[in-house]
Amino acid sequence: MMDHLMGRADPSASPAGSAIAAALQDAEALYLSLVEHIPICMYRVDLKGRLTFGNSAYLKDVGRPLEELLGKTVFDIFPLEEARKYAADDRRVIETGEVFRDIEEHQARGEVIYVEVLKFLVRDHLGRAVGVQGLYWDVSGRKRAEDQARKTMAELERSNKDLEQFAAVASHDMHAPLRRILTACQLLEKHCRTCPESETGELYGFIVSSAKQMQELIEDLLAHSRVGAFNKPLEPIDCNRAARTALANLQLVIREAGAEVRLDRLPTVFGTYMEMVQLFQNLIANAVKYTEKKTPRVELSAELRQSEWLFHVKDEGIGIPADQRQRVFEAFHRLHSESEYPGTGLGLATCKKIVERLDGKIWVEPRPGGGSEFLFTIPNRAPQADPPERAE
Ligand code: ADP
């Protein structure tokens, strides 16, 4: 039967033979139409890597007619790096006889796409290896969806971790002032009828300050958890306006500290307005708070560094010990007691969350004459009309 089909006898010589010949013709026509119309690039190379066949999808991808490509190797067809990899993969298929499957980057008509690749050994009717058959097809859409899903998963894991940390620490931190309020109230109740008024006033003061502390903690926790929570789309934000709003919100604190805050001309970046205000506000508030100076001076500026804006917030404050410069960005990590410097330990963690959501980085460095310099980057995605100059 095989000999017959291989052409050693004329299949159409008998009625049965002509039926077989017709069936063979049909099968070949079906094969050809499939190969030519299927949106999968198909090619074949011999053992020396010379092209012996390419279907329409392949020729369209390469952008050259078959006559030009026959006998050529990948080195005549693709960029060198790509060609090296293709040739090595083909060689492995020939040497091992194993099927090759991978998802790889591929340049198609000036664009980088992702393709799924399948390669296997081609044998002749005697079972001898004669070349490699390769198939590849565009999976960019799937790859992008998978990358997005991976990013979302990582974001979910991160926010779950945040939540766990909050649950553990916040419950502890919130209980402390609450317990004090309760104790003070019980004492107040006991003493109210008999003790002098001044003592009662002191207890009232204690209750109020504890309640305030609790309120600040809850407000800071809310601000922290709200960063990126509503999936608000990023838009061009004028940092000059955001920084001025932050200063207005801190008006009282700045006046009480007798601080001078100088704003340089700032750029427009992609972000959300409230988060940019929060970022400037937390950094300026700390610069004004953590100081022993009578007139603390704070400076806010930015400069363009290649593809990103680098912001500086410089103060003349008490500085941060070297071994604490990373840890201060952790939620609830404080270096001082409430009586030394009040706070919740969430300000810098919120700054970090805001900056990282914008694909930036934040860190702190010591200043030569004392004090700290907080630096953060934000990618320069928005079109910039003019570079920042010093505002008068
Ligand atoms: P909070 O100010 O509420 O304690 P932050 O997260 O803003 O929380 O800051 C964490 C810690 O980092 C602070 O407790 C303080 O010790 C230190 N810190 C922050 N900013 C400065 C600064 N500008 N100078 C010196 N120390 C700072």
Side-chain angles (χ1 to χ4, degrees):
M1 181 70 177
M2 269 311 271
D3 281 355
H4 191 62
L5 292 180
M6 296 313 296
R8 277 168 219 178
D10 179 2
S12 56
S14 64
S18 60
I20 291 170
L24 269 176
Q25 259 178 16
D26 281 353
E28 192 172 352
L30 176 68
Y31 161 78
L32 282 177
S33 101
L34 268 176
V35 165
E36 283 312 294
H37 292 103
I38 201 163
I40 291 179
C41 300
M42 296 179 171
Y43 67 89
R44 196 174 268 203
V45 290
D46 64 17
L47 293 177
K48 292 208 163 121
R50 293 173 302 209
L51 195 89
T52 56
F53 170 74
N55 74 345
S56 309
Y58 176 79
L59 299 175
K60 197 168 156 212
D61 179 61
V62 174
R64 284 158 72 178
L66 187 60
E67 312 81 76
E68 252 183 49
L69 297 172
L70 286 175
K72 299 269 188 320
T73 72
V74 280
F75 292 96
D76 306 310
I77 305 173
F78 296 106
L80 185 62
E81 273 303 295
E82 230 177 297
R84 271 200 190 124
K85 181 182 180 330
Y86 296 162
D89 295 341
D90 287 351
R91 222 174 304 121
R92 203 171 319 126
V93 171
I94 293 167
E95 282 163 11
T96 63
E98 284 171 8
V99 173
F100 171 88
R101 193 164 202 154
D102 196 11
I103 291 182
E104 49 196 42
E105 274 186 20
H106 173 66
Q107 292 197 31
R109 293 171 299 282
E111 209 190 322
V112 176
I113 60 167
Y114 287 94
V115 289
E116 182 152 359
V117 184
L118 192 63
K119 292 180 179 187
F120 44 88
L121 202 59
V122 182
R123 295 181 188 277
D124 65 8
H125 66 283
L126 295 175
R128 292 174 304 201
V130 289
V132 175
Q133 171 81 60
L135 314 176
Y136 62 93
W137 57 97
D138 190 347
V139 289
S140 305
R142 192 179 91 198
K143 178 92 171 44
R144 270 194 294 272
E146 281 171 4
D147 286 350
Q148 184 57 42
R150 218 169 292 129
K151 213 172 149 194
T152 311
M153 271 306 287
E155 177 62 24
L156 259 175
E157 269 170 33
R158 197 193 52 71
S159 92
N160 262 350
K161 242 179 161 173
D162 266 10
L163 271 175
E164 275 169 29
Q165 197 185 9
F166 283 155
V169 188
S171 61
H172 174 267
D173 279 37
M174 281 179 180
H175 264 118
L178 255 189
R179 242 191 331 265
R180 288 201 295 272
I181 293 172
L182 205 65
T183 313
C185 282
Q186 283 161 342
L187 283 173
L188 196 63
E189 192 191 26
K190 234 186 198 173
H191 286 277
C192 223
R193 271 167 259 125
T194 50
C195 72
E197 261 184 33
S198 63
E199 222 173 291
T200 319
E202 218 175 274
L203 283 169
Y204 271 126
F206 192 54
I207 291 172
V208 170
S209 75
S210 295
K212 267 192 186 152
Q213 196 188 334
M214 178 90 168
Q215 193 183 33
E216 274 162 23
L217 185 61
I218 291 170
E219 276 169 8
D220 284 1
L221 258 177
L222 273 176
H224 188 86
S225 65
R226 276 184 185 140
V227 176
F230 308 111
N231 268 334
K232 219 169 166 256
L234 305 186
E235 53 184 1
I237 303 297
D238 174 4
C239 290
N240 300 293
R241 200 162 77 83
R244 278 198 297 270
T245 305
L247 285 190
N249 294 345
L250 292 171
Q251 209 177 15
L252 237 139
V253 179
I254 292 174
R255 198 183 308 143
E256 267 175 19
E260 279 174 17
V261 184
R262 203 181 78 187
L263 295 186
D264 271 14
R265 177 93 174 269
L266 301 175
T268 293
V269 297
F270 255 80
T272 63
Y273 187 70
M274 285 320 293
E275 286 177 13
M276 288 310 294
V277 171
Q278 184 87 62
L279 176 59
F280 292 131
Q281 194 167 315
N282 290 3
L283 292 175
I284 297 170
N286 279 352
V288 170
K289 177 165 65 167
Y290 293 102
T291 184
E292 282 161 356
K293 285 252 158 79
K294 278 227 171 69
T295 316
R297 266 192 294 266
V298 182
E299 216 181 285
L300 176 54
S301 59
E303 59 182 310
L304 188 57
R305 286 270 178 100
Q306 284 151 1
S307 58
E308 59 193 16
W309 285 101
L310 176 64
F311 288 76
H312 308 258
V313 182
K314 298 179 189 168
D315 66 39
E316 297 173 339
I318 56 173
I320 298 175
D323 62 342
Q324 294 295 328
R325 285 185 200 130
Q326 279 200 331
R327 294 211 62 199
V328 286
F329 293 97
E330 287 172 16
F332 303 108
H333 188 74
R334 307 203 64 230
L335 308 183
H336 306 278
S337 67
E338 180 70 18
S339 58
E340 283 175 297
Y341 293 101
T344 60
L346 274 167
L348 291 179
T350 305
C351 291
K352 186 167 189 273
K353 200 173 170 191
I354 293 173
V355 170
E356 287 181 353
R357 194 173 94 85
L358 303 179
D359 293 329
K361 287 195 180 71
I362 185 166
W363 68 100
V364 61
E365 289 175 9
R367 292 189 71 197
S372 308
E373 176 173 355
F374 281 81
L375 299 108
F376 65 90
T377 59
I378 296 187
N380 177 30
R381 290 201 190 110
Q384 296 296 328
D386 41 353
E389 344 158 325
R390 199 144 283 201
E392 295 313 320

